[in-house]
Amino acid sequence: MTESTEPLIRITGVSKLFGDFVAVDNVDLEIGHSELFSILGGSGCGKSTLLRMLAGFEAPTAGKIEIEGIDVTRQPPYERPVNMMFQSYAIFPHMDVKKNVGYGLRKDGLTAKETAKRVDEMLELVQLTDFRDRKPNQLSGGQSQRVALARALIKRPKVLLLDEPLAALDKKLREHTQFELVNIQDELGITFVVVTHDQEEAMTLSDRIAVMEKGRFLQVGQPKEIYEYPQSRFVADFIGTINTFEGTVTSVTNEHLVVHSDELGGELRALGHHDVEVGQAVCIAVRPEKIFVSREEPENEDDMRACGTVEDLGYLGNLSLYRVRLASGKIVQVSSQNRHRTTERGVEWEDEIWISWRPRSAVVLVD
Ligand code: ATP
């Protein structure tokens, strides 16, 4: 087995039932060496249960978990090459930072000298060297989070499991800490599996994301792939903002399909091959940043278009956000980069304008 071809973690057909309730439903997943993988979903979707099964705190009702090709499904947590960082940072209040970080090593019988060396290295990595003698109650939320991270990493697990690692931090610190986590993971090359309900966090941190709902994975892929090519309405809606137009397929060719949508007030085209039939109900989804606004009708005949009234607009410096009401009553959200300082009159409230987009910007959703 070589590192490059074999996954580090392989989950096959794993389910977890609590009585009749299916918390995790027949999940298959492979996670690679040095990958930063996020499991993203709303409250109660089963993400923590899946993480706890990886850690060994919960036994699957069915299925198999392998790490480096070894079946660990029935192994207790301490026998697995895995460590977990919990939501509430499990750090001892009576120990200073260096004792907290070195705790696991001393328990394993390492000498005081070796422990001190490893603790120093770890404190440097998480930038806590100057805080080594402080007690936990003398630390900020972000510093406590880094102590917990150092404690979880010091025994050099192959996999670190992180359950909502940044949930206790305020927004600004969370954004900063996201980058620190990525840097630390990158430096150590340890596989991180992160559970989060925060889509922005998952997008920023991850090499790949699994979007989970009702115990199942709806889509697994790189952040860009999931954002640009969501495969279902749930995923499209869950990740960022998206406009959806309900309609019926009126024609299908190898290159594109045409959909009639009352919401848009006309026909829509989407490029690419789609496994749909004439007469089928589908949804065409377009991200706000793929839509252009203009006072004049767009010249490019291929562009999808509709006329509407600006109901709301917000100026965010680099971006303008528009809410445009179409004749059908449908509200379309548009975000547009403000690239130039302009002296000519821009689009304003109550203006009648055109919205348009390229057919290739639209995604076709059937579920
Ligand atoms: P959250 O973000 O709210 O923590 P989650 O996606 O992590 O949600 P889980 O903790 O995995 O959700 O729980 C999934 C489902 O399983 C929930 O409906 C929960 O109530 C249920 N559940 C979890 N643990 C148990 C248990 N020990 N007994 C019964 N039901 C449980």
Side-chain angles (χ1 to χ4, degrees):
M1 187 176 73
T2 63
E3 283 208 349
S4 53
T5 53
E6 276 295 310
L8 180 65
I9 301 171
R10 181 178 280 130
I11 297 173
T12 318
V14 163
S15 295
K16 178 70 186 178
L17 276 71
F18 295 110
D20 290 342
F21 180 76
V22 185
V24 174
D25 191 1
N26 197 18
V27 163
D28 293 318
L29 177 68
E30 291 184 352
I31 300 177
H33 292 263
S34 309
E35 206 176 358
L36 207 165
F37 191 91
S38 293
I39 303 170
L40 172 68
S43 182
C45 72
K47 54 196 186 300
S48 297
T49 304
L50 183 59
L51 202 72
R52 291 172 62 78
M53 288 194 282
L54 271 174
F57 298 127
E58 207 81 73
T61 312
K64 187 155 104 172
I65 298 174
E66 292 161 281
I67 300 178
E68 287 195 313
I70 295 167
D71 186 348
V72 300
T73 319
R74 303 288 150 200
Q75 267 184 9
Y78 55 85
E79 282 181 12
R80 303 185 184 200
V82 165
N83 209 343
M84 180 140 166
M85 198 180 108
F86 292 94
Q87 257 179 44
S88 50
Y89 314 131
I91 52 180
F92 299 124
H94 59 285
M95 289 184 189
D96 63 18
V97 167
K98 61 182 181 305
K99 287 210 171 103
N100 256 296
V101 173
Y103 178 77
L105 294 183
R106 285 200 307 281
K107 241 179 105 208
D108 279 359
L110 253 72
T111 63
K113 198 171 161 211
E114 178 65 9
T115 302
K117 183 168 166 276
R118 295 260 295 267
V119 168
D120 283 349
E121 283 167 9
M122 191 48 74
L123 289 179
E124 197 176 327
L125 181 74
V126 299
Q127 297 172 24
L128 282 178
T129 305
D130 294 344
F131 299 84
R132 48 185 295 119
D133 298 321
R134 293 225 193 153
K135 290 275 173 56
N137 65 1
Q138 298 168 316
L139 299 174
S140 71
Q143 289 156 353
S144 304
Q145 192 265 1
R146 281 184 271 152
V147 176
L149 183 64
R151 257 190 68 164
L153 287 172
I154 193 126
K155 288 174 76 175
R156 299 174 183 159
K158 295 215 162 74
V159 184
L160 183 67
L161 309 174
L162 304 101
D163 193 350
E164 303 275 1
L166 310 176
L169 308 180
D170 66 41
K171 189 167 165 30
K172 205 152 187 165
L173 190 55
R174 200 157 64 221
E175 283 166 7
H176 176 71
T177 313
Q178 279 168 7
F179 289 107
E180 279 183 359
L181 258 190
V182 172
N183 289 340
I184 290 170
Q185 190 269 345
D186 200 39
E187 195 149 326
L188 294 177
I190 291 174
T191 297
F192 278 20
V193 184
V194 179
V195 152
T196 179
H197 67 277
D198 182 333
Q199 49 107 358
E200 271 181 42
E201 188 170 303
M203 297 288 279
T204 314
L205 287 177
S206 318
D207 294 318
R208 281 190 308 148
I209 299 173
V211 182
M212 198 170 182
E213 195 211 19
K214 294 184 183 153
R216 285 174 172 265
F217 286 165
L218 297 185
Q219 194 169 346
V220 180
Q222 292 171 358
K224 186 171 169 14
E225 208 177 310
I226 290 189
Y227 184 82
E228 298 272 344
Y229 304 102
Q231 287 166 359
S232 61
R233 285 167 218 234
F234 182 91
V235 173
D237 245 359
F238 197 74
I239 311 274
T241 307
I242 201 156
N243 297 291
T244 52
F245 300 95
E246 301 295 336
T248 311
V249 178
T250 53
S251 108
V252 186
T253 70
N254 275 340
E255 290 86 39
H256 65 263
L257 86 161
V258 181
V259 173
H260 178 83
S261 167
D262 287 338
E263 283 184 324
L264 183 82
E267 305 246 283
L268 278 160
R269 244 171 340 110
L271 295 185
H273 175 75
H274 303 283
D275 197 12
V276 292
E277 291 170 3
V278 170
Q280 190 173 334
V282 293
C283 166
I284 301 281
V286 194
R287 296 279 181 198
E289 68 275 16
K290 305 281 187 193
I291 303 179
F292 306 101
V293 291
S294 56
R295 296 172 151 288
E296 312 297 331
E297 181 164 4
E299 281 171 15
N300 191 337
E301 283 182 8
D302 287 343
D303 286 355
M304 301 297 95
R305 68 199 57 201
C307 213
T309 311
V310 177
E311 192 173 90
D312 210 350
L313 74 90
Y315 176 73
L316 303 181
N318 58 336
L319 275 185
S320 287
L321 305 180
Y322 304 89
R323 282 166 57 82
V324 180
R325 181 183 289 278
L326 306 185
S328 65
K330 172 89 182 169
I331 301 285
V332 179
Q333 303 197 57
V334 183
S335 73
S336 161
Q337 291 271 356
N338 298 324
R339 287 207 181 82
H340 308 290
R341 239 199 280 175
T342 170
T343 46
E344 67 189 57
R345 182 175 170 269
V347 170
E348 288 176 12
W349 284 48
E350 302 299 330
D351 277 356
E352 292 284 322
I353 55 147
W354 287 90
I355 59 166
S356 60
W357 64 87
R358 307 267 135 83
R360 67 166 181 274
S361 300
V363 180
V364 182
L365 303 172
V366 289
D367 314 317

